């Protein structure tokens, strides 16, 4: 029922920061995720890949954090791509129409390349 | 290698499981675990179990974030032969009807997805607003066989 | 590689989580899941979480097997700064003091391990017998820091 | 929260039946385990290895089933060995003193050899 957050730098065609999330993102844990993502953006990182491969659960507060991050980086012409392989979590992005605003990829490599 | 034995469920219907948690973010995970246990006992599919977890958690999250002055959340699960009926109830300031109505999603914004998800994931959703005595959400998921 | 962030618990004490299940074998697993969730939220060790699961489940099993005429089991978990106090209560025929007393194990036999395990796994165990209104078990596990 | 039971024949120095249990053994699931073990004994199998490697949880009703099985095979000069690697479950056998009446082994091979 907890979340682990880890941030890595990635040197690719377009350098970016990769945020690894591991656990469950809900009303209790999403403030931690928000802090990490907003902190990253506020320190000048506007190209983000958020890896949800190890996220077993996400709720609307978690989606809100991702949307908030996307809005913030766009103010700086940045981008956010997601890595998501869990069908249950993909379904939530489908239902809410968020598939249309996030780039969602099956692998980290694809998410980085298409940033 | 003999025939493997598997467990046949021996559920009778109309059981009632009740849970009360403090109206605080750290306890929503416990509600999620309990509902997952109930739903898996009833042989809901993995997808339906996830739907139930999310719907119940969204309901609890709304109690925590919007029902001011409510100190606890009451969750009841009525087990029937073909469905699970879950109520989530707080005792805070009641919601208003407009904010709970079914709606289409517009531009993505940071809030406003909770009620939409509940309505999308459950088969039947009903809100009762009791001025001064909180919001009561009753939601049903049918067992697909 | 930056410093990994981990979640700091922000628990306030004296929260109360309550669960009521039908007095039937198939629901004990739900009680176990709920207590595991509560205990892990309180940062009990994995071993202590397993102890709590087993103690609560043994208590429920006894309500189901011995408290005739009780149709439900009430479990309450009071969260305090340094401990978790769990009560398990039925409304059936009350137990008798002799059968609940601490005892040494003799020759292994098929029954008679439940109360022994509860007393072994928890830090403090108290039974209250209410003739005509069931058995109430209060058990405490301290948080080791 | 369920249990799977599977029975295999094992041809070793002393032929035996191996009962694989997978899941949680509690007041709800132990009747199924009892049925399998007692059925096996009643059909003349008195040398049993019960493999608990995939058992995540056992309560006193589960212990009762194992003790009942042991008593029954002993009436026919049989034996029951257990395979148990989970420290939490070993602890329950320790606390209850059942380590003294069951042969408990870390591997199926050892449990079969020492039957
Ligand atoms: N239990 C509740 N008590 C009071 N108001 C509620 C409750 N549940 C929902 N609401 C109202 O419904 C609105 C929509 O909720 P929701 O779709 O979850 O979005 P959000 O919580 O992000 O605002 C909330 O903003 C709130 O006004
Ligand atoms: N909730 C209860 N209601 C009535 N009797 C109880 C209850 N809990 C325990 N008992 C009594 O205590 C005895 C010992 O319980 P236990 O150690 O779990 O062994 P077992 O259940 O195998 O008999 C039971 O046989 C029963 O008489």
């Amino acid at each position: 029922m907890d979340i682990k957050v880890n941030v890595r730098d990635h040197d690719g065609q377009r350098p970016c920061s990769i945020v690894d999330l591991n656990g469950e993102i809900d009303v209790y844990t999403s403030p931690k995720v928000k802090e990490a993502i907003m902190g990253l953006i506020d320190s000048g990182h506007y190209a983000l890949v958020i890896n949800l491969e190890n996220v077993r659960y996400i709720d609307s507060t978690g989606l809100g954090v991702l949307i908030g991050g996307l809005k913030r980086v766009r103010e700086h012409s940045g981008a956010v791509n997601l890595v998501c392989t869990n069908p249950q979590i993909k379904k939530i992005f489908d239902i809410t129409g968020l598939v249309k605003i996030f780039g969602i990829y099956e692998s980290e490599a694809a998410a980085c390349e298409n940033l | 290698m003999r025939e493997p034995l598997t467990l046949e469920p021996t559920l009778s219907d109309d059981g009632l499981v009740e849970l009360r948690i403090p109206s605080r973010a750290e306890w929503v995970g416990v509600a999620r675990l309990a509902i997952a246990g109930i739903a898996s006992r009833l042989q809901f599919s993995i997808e339906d179990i996830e739907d139930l977890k999310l719907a119940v958690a969204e309901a609890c999250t709304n109690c925590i974030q919007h029902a001011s002055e409510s100190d606890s959340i009451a969750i009841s699960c009525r087990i029937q032969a073909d469905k699970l009926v879950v109520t989530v109830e707080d005792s805070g300031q009641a919601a208003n009807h407009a904010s709970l109505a079914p709606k289409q999603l517009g531009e993505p914004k940071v809030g406003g997805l909770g009620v939409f998800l509940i309505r999308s994931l459950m088969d039947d959703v009903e809100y009762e607003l009791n001025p001064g005595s909180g919001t009561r959400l009753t939601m049903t998921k049918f067992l697909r066989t």
Side-chain angles (χ1 to χ4, degrees), chain B residues 12-33:
Chain B
S12 30
D13 54 352
D14 262 311
L16 182 65
V17 177
E18 293 170 295
L19 177 68
R20 182 180 288 276
I21 57 170
S23 192
R24 289 205 301 269
E26 61 261 38
W27 299 111
V28 174
V30 172
R32 232 157 47 220
L33 275 176

Side-chain angles (χ1 to χ4, degrees), chain A residues 1-2 24-30 34 56-65 67-69 71 74 86 88 91-92 95-98 101, chain B residues 25-30 32-33 46-48 50-51 53-55 57-58 61 64-65 105 107-111 113-114 116-117 120-121 141:
Chain A
M1 303 187 299
D2 281 334
E24 306 191 343
I25 312 180
D26 71 357
V27 60
Y28 180 54
T29 62
S30 62
K34 181 172 178 181
R56 293 183 304 273
Y57 174 87
I58 189 165
D59 74 356
S60 67
T61 62
L63 298 177
V65 169
I67 297 167
K71 298 209 156 179
R74 280 189 176 164
N86 180 322
Q88 200 58 37
K91 175 178 145 182
I92 302 305
I95 292 178
T96 53
L98 296 176
I101 67 156
Chain B
E26 61 261 38
W27 299 111
V28 174
V30 172
R32 232 157 47 220
L33 275 176
I46 292 181
E47 186 176 348
D48 284 349
E50 290 299 319
D51 289 355
K53 278 166 66 178
L54 185 51
E58 293 294 345
T61 298
I64 293 165
Q65 294 187 327
L105 289 180
E107 263 300 277
K109 49 184 177 53
V110 171
L113 290 174
F116 176 84
L117 281 169
S120 304
L121 299 171
K141 187 106 183 158

Side-chain angles (χ1 to χ4, degrees), chain B residues 67-84:
Chain B
S68 54
E69 321 247 327
S70 180
D71 56 359
S72 72
I73 305 170
I75 301 157
S76 85
C77 302
R78 185 167 290 282
I79 292 107
Q80 300 187 342
D82 61 335
K83 64 188 179 199
L84 178 63

Side-chain angles (χ1 to χ4, degrees), chain A residues 60-61, chain B residues 58-68 88-90 92-96 98-100 103 109-118 127 129 134-136:
Chain A
S60 67
T61 62
Chain B
E58 293 294 345
C60 291
T61 298
N62 275 342
C63 298
I64 293 165
Q65 294 187 327
H66 303 298
S68 54
V88 177
E89 193 170 358
D90 63 60
Q93 292 293 316
N96 62 67
S99 54
L100 302 172
K103 58 171 185 274
K109 49 184 177 53
V110 171
L113 290 174
V115 174
F116 176 84
L117 281 169
I118 292 168
Y127 276 100
L129 310 185
T135 300
R136 177 190 175 93

Side-chain angles (χ1 to χ4, degrees), chain A:
Chain A
M1 303 187 299
D2 281 334
I3 192 81
K4 287 212 190 74
V5 184
N6 189 50
V7 179
R8 293 176 284 143
D9 295 319
H10 175 79
D11 283 320
Q13 188 126 23
R14 180 173 179 182
C16 65
S17 297
I18 300 178
V19 181
D20 292 307
L21 300 175
N22 189 316
E24 306 191 343
I25 312 180
D26 71 357
V27 60
Y28 180 54
T29 62
S30 62
K32 204 79 195 176
V33 178
K34 181 172 178 181
E35 192 182 306
I37 291 176
M38 292 308 183
L40 204 54
I41 299 172
D42 289 346
S43 63
H45 299 81
Y46 308 130
L48 303 184
V49 166
I50 301 177
N51 192 331
L52 305 174
E53 279 177 291
N54 294 311
V55 170
R56 293 183 304 273
Y57 174 87
I58 189 165
D59 74 356
S60 67
T61 62
L63 298 177
V65 169
L66 298 180
I67 297 167
L70 181 65
K71 298 209 156 179
R72 183 84 64 101
V73 297
R74 280 189 176 164
E75 293 165 10
H76 305 273
S77 314
V80 177
N81 277 349
L82 306 178
V83 186
C84 175
T85 48
N86 180 322
Q88 200 58 37
I89 290 182
K90 263 196 191 149
K91 175 178 145 182
I92 302 305
F93 284 97
D94 279 329
I95 292 178
T96 53
L98 296 176
V99 276
K100 287 179 260 162
I101 67 156
F102 285 104
I104 302 184
Y105 297 88
E106 298 262 337
S107 74
E108 191 173 289
C112 292
E113 272 161 33
N114 292 288
L115 201 64

